[in-house]
Amino acid sequence: MFARRIVVVGTGYVGLTTGACLASLGHRVLCSDVDTTKVAALARGDVHILEDGLHDLVQEGIAAGRLGFTGDSADAVADADVVFLCVPTPMGSGGAADLAAVESVTREVRDRLPHGCVLVTKSTVPVGTAARVAGLVRRPDVAIVSNPEFLREGSAVHDFLNPDRIVVGSDSQNAAERVAALYSRLGAPTILTDAASAEMVKYAANCFLATKLSYVNAIAELCERLGADITDVTEGMGYDRRIGQSFLQPGPGWGGSCLPKDTHALMQVAEAVAFDFPLLGATISSNTRQRERMVVKVADACGRNGSLAGVRLGVLGLAFKAGTDDLRDSPALAVTRMLAERGAELTAYDPGLRGDEPGLADVVTVVDDPYQAAKGAAGLVLLTEWPEFRTLDWAAMASTMNGPVVVDTRNHLDPDALRRVGVSWHGVGRTPQEALCSAAAA
């Protein structure tokens, strides 16, 4: 494989993972970012993101001389074969993707791109963005390629190096093949298509996953009303190869940096071409309702006649998923905020957080010990599926609580184990497990 000179603009989850992984494949990679403090830290090998394996990969790339960092994107691209745009595309006005960063960087680098360079949009962008970027670049000698990422936070390095597929789209077959060749060592199925189709693949995939999760959450509620067990139901569904076992776990709603903004962005794209998309609209509204339903579940299990005013609650998990420190559109944090709005007094523990993250102090007191979160609580609410929560000393947890009740919004814990130590367990889509009277008395 011929090693390429690659520049990655942006060092967030996608950019830093992309840069470090491409360097590990033998390419020479220079990552740029406007945050000079972050650049200086990364140049020392200090990774600012909680992502399994990323710290080691960055340090290995630096030590091998294949990975570097800079704060000047324009200078960085002057010697590049391929430039990846990995900048934020947050939800903007009305739910549409905000492309300000993509457009700003494109204008900044367009005149410095060498002849024959390929400019790649890696960030999730609406259909038509590649054409929009081409209009900004206005250089027929520079090809524009769409190469969407399919990385899950918490396992981004693994996903990059073990992809289900590589999707590359461009009006230039040669440019598409050059970008696809960067991943040749991975041996993954590769789809070469036009730019619009590649852009659509990412939205279609993420919105399908969001729909699948909303569907499972709705089935879980129906199970509660009918006396069925969602765990057995999803097991029975998952063995059907047409459905598969992934994304069948009920929870407090879906969130994070991708699904919320991508579902809203696709709704905006559909509206722009006068396409009514009620299925996706129902997916979004069902997710909002699921978060509200979790609050009601907590109030019923731990409140005073359904009221949470003045009720002391412990919260286990605030990040949007285990293995990350990401609070962006976290359903755990959203539910916590709603509990606070109903008057609950909240103390939380999350092994991925420091406790000084912006905005947390206004909602919840963050502690560095799960047993401290349980102390004096009328109940515990598990909102993020950290594995270590399964191995807590639940007898000790229960002994410090005023009310040994756990609302497990992820069905993460063993209800029988909790029941044996006197804890009443309330899950999602399952029959509540009440504590044994003898255990509670003890």
Side-chain angles (χ1 to χ4, degrees):
M1 180 193 69
F2 180 70
R4 293 288 184 178
R5 295 167 298 180
I6 297 171
V7 171
V8 176
V9 182
T11 59
Y13 278 95
V14 174
L16 188 57
T17 301
T18 297
C21 288
L22 286 173
S24 77
L25 295 178
H27 302 293
R28 287 192 288 136
V29 182
L30 184 59
C31 296
S32 72
D33 200 287
V34 294
D35 187 338
T36 55
T37 301
K38 183 193 295 187
V39 167
L42 288 171
R44 297 190 302 268
D46 296 336
V47 175
H48 56 283
I49 295 171
L50 180 61
E51 189 64 50
D52 188 36
L54 186 56
H55 180 268
D56 291 342
L57 213 56
V58 168
Q59 292 197 331
E60 289 168 8
I62 294 171
R66 292 192 301 267
L67 181 63
F69 299 90
T70 179
D72 192 329
S73 298
D75 277 350
V77 303
D79 193 38
D81 296 313
V82 182
V83 176
F84 284 87
L85 300 183
C86 300
V87 295
T89 54
M91 192 187 305
S93 176
D98 184 349
L99 296 178
V102 172
E103 294 175 353
S104 175
V105 171
T106 299
R107 292 189 183 96
E108 180 184 355
V109 304
R110 62 187 176 189
D111 295 331
R112 302 295 300 277
L113 296 170
H115 179 81
C117 181
V118 178
L119 184 60
V120 182
T121 56
K122 192 73 169 172
S123 307
T124 302
V125 293
V127 178
T129 300
R132 192 167 173 176
V133 170
L136 289 173
V137 173
R138 299 193 302 274
R139 286 182 53 182
D141 63 311
V142 174
I144 311 301
V145 170
S146 174
N147 174 217
E149 53 84 15
F150 301 98
L151 307 178
R152 299 166 298 166
E153 288 186 38
S155 57
V157 170
H158 177 273
D159 291 347
F160 190 103
L161 298 176
N162 302 273
D164 294 326
R165 74 290 202 195
I166 304 293
V167 178
V168 183
S170 180
D171 295 335
S172 167
Q173 180 75 11
N174 177 266
E177 290 175 354
R178 285 171 62 189
V179 172
L182 300 177
Y183 304 97
S184 61
R185 286 181 56 187
L186 301 179
T190 301
I191 298 93
L192 297 182
T193 183
D194 59 274
S197 297
E199 291 165 341
M200 188 63 182
V201 167
K202 179 59 186 289
Y203 280 106
N206 274 2
C207 291
F208 179 81
L209 295 177
T211 301
K212 192 174 181 181
L213 287 170
S214 284
Y215 177 78
V216 168
N217 283 334
I219 291 295
E221 182 176 359
L222 193 57
C223 283
E224 291 178 13
R225 299 190 182 196
L226 297 175
D229 189 316
I230 188 63
T231 302
D232 295 337
V233 171
T234 53
E235 182 181 9
M237 292 170 61
Y239 282 112
D240 188 324
R241 286 172 293 179
R242 298 168 300 174
I243 297 173
Q245 298 185 3
S246 64
F247 282 74
L248 287 182
Q249 293 74 38
W254 40 267
S257 62
C258 293
L259 297 190
K261 74 180 182 69
D262 291 354
T263 49
H264 283 89
L266 189 57
M267 285 292 290
Q268 289 292 309
V269 169
E271 290 174 9
V273 293
F275 175 72
D276 187 24
F277 206 157
L279 176 61
L280 187 55
T283 292
I284 296 170
S285 61
S286 293
N287 192 52
T288 300
R289 182 178 180 277
Q290 182 70 3
R291 298 178 181 189
E292 295 167 348
R293 195 171 85 84
M294 295 301 100
V295 174
V296 172
K297 185 179 285 289
V298 173
D300 289 344
C302 306
R304 303 186 186 103
N305 298 318
S307 172
L308 290 172
V311 174
R312 164 89 166 79
L313 295 174
V315 175
L316 296 179
L318 293 170
F320 97 93
K321 67 180 288 189
T324 81
D325 56 358
D326 197 346
L327 293 170
R328 288 177 293 176
D329 218 322
S330 167
L333 185 56
V335 171
T336 300
R337 289 187 188 280
M338 287 189 280
L339 292 171
E341 289 167 0
R342 293 185 60 160
E345 299 174 1
L346 303 165
T347 304
Y349 168 74
D350 188 301
L353 301 180
R354 302 180 307 274
D356 59 353
E357 287 76 7
L360 281 185
D362 298 334
V363 180
V364 60
T365 299
V366 179
V367 295
D368 59 5
D369 185 294
Y371 300 93
Q372 190 176 347
K375 187 176 181 180
L380 283 171
V381 186
L382 189 150
L383 292 166
T384 309
E385 70 287 15
W386 287 95
E388 69 183 66
F389 292 158
R390 288 196 180 111
T391 58
L392 293 173
D393 184 341
W394 281 100
M397 294 279 281
S399 70
T400 67
M401 297 170 65
N402 285 342
V405 178
V406 171
V407 179
D408 183 356
T409 71
R410 300 279 186 173
N411 291 346
H412 184 59
L413 305 174
D414 180 348
D416 291 329
L418 266 64
R419 187 171 63 95
R420 286 193 294 270
V421 297
V423 177
S424 295
W425 179 89
H426 300 257
V428 177
R430 303 186 68 186
T431 303
Q433 296 287 310
E434 301 298 338
L436 293 169
C437 293
S438 59

